[in-house]
Amino acid sequence: GDLGRGEDVDVREAEVGDAAAWRIDGSEARDGVPGVPAWVAAASVGVGPAAEPDRRGLSELMGSIAGGGSASIGRVAPRVHPEDAAEARTRFERAAAAIAAGRAMQAVVDLQEAGRLDPTQASIPRSLARVAEGLGNIGLARRAWQDVVSIDPADPEGLLALAADALRSDRPLAALALLQRLDPAAAGDASEDPVSASDAWCRDALLLEVCERLGADAAIGEVAERMLASAVDLAAARRAALERNIPEAAIGRLGVARRLGDARWRAGRPADADAAYAIAAAVPAGGSATDRRERAAVLVRRVALASTSTSAKDRSRDLGRFLRAAAGAAPDDATPLVLAMDLLEPSPASV
């Protein structure tokens, strides 16, 4: 079947033991075509021009949010008695020593008491949030980050942590409201980013995930183009993003360029989509499962785009190029090759 036509492709998930395996079955598929493994499953999902492209830009998307998120936006700082402030500092220092000694639970007790004594210092709930995350206590970490943002409404670490938590809870609008506070346009100066380069990359990675979940293709394009134009230290940004549990596919340039290509294709811009996929294909190969999955997805998308060419000569030339590339992207699996060969076969639509 023609991979570029959604109506010719039936994608379904079948349980195999504890894992999910995917198959792509086209009405014209030859007998014996193997099931498509999980790493290439995304290649046939959400690809192709949309009947009604979503043209909401990032500013329009953010303008529709009554900003703030679930955390309160600042609070009047209470008066703290000097003796309470001194005791809070003592507790905070004791907690730091407990953390260094590996006594996380004792640190939690001291930090909670320090925060009760002096609720004006963001460093106290920040430390508590980090310890709670290390213990896997997501609820305590969430409440501590909310306290950080209540004390400092523009704290990048707290806002990013709460936005990532909102996405994990499938609340993209809540995440967007939090990220809005870190966006340069929302800060009143689109020419100067209010956060560090690494924090900006984490913010945009989360925004990219939010926009994809909301189906806002124009906004996806804006965010992805901003990320690809960034001169950020990717190694440092990736470490910061992984520490904040940001989805790995949204972190690297490969995944960002792939999402940009998908958005452009859905918007009916196949040439621009292929240009984005070419950027993705040029990213140096990594060794992770996510890298392998994204690279295979880009390959099959480019095969599908090439199959839409009206010129049989151009179609064969482009598909041949991707056949050669397939060996590098999927050395242990022939599925992309089989799909490409299916596309090379004449069909009533291409004769």
Side-chain angles (χ1 to χ4, degrees), residues 53-65 173 176 180 183 185 207-208 210-212 214-226 263 267 269:
D54 190 319
R55 304 191 187 282
R56 288 175 296 170
L58 188 58
S59 60
E60 183 180 353
L61 206 61
M62 288 189 168
S64 67
I65 298 295
L173 292 178
L176 181 62
Q180 183 181 35
D183 192 78
L207 273 175
L208 194 62
V210 167
C211 293
E212 186 152 271
L214 295 176
D217 286 332
I220 290 173
E222 289 181 50
V223 176
E225 287 171 3
R226 185 163 74 187
R269 299 162 54 193

Side-chain angles (χ1 to χ4, degrees), residues 133-165:
E133 287 175 342
L135 292 171
N137 191 332
I138 302 303
L140 178 59
R142 181 187 302 119
R143 292 191 294 275
W145 285 124
Q146 288 172 343
D147 286 342
V148 170
V149 173
S150 293
I151 297 168
D152 181 1
D155 183 87
E157 188 177 12
L159 290 169
L160 290 170
L162 289 172
D165 177 71

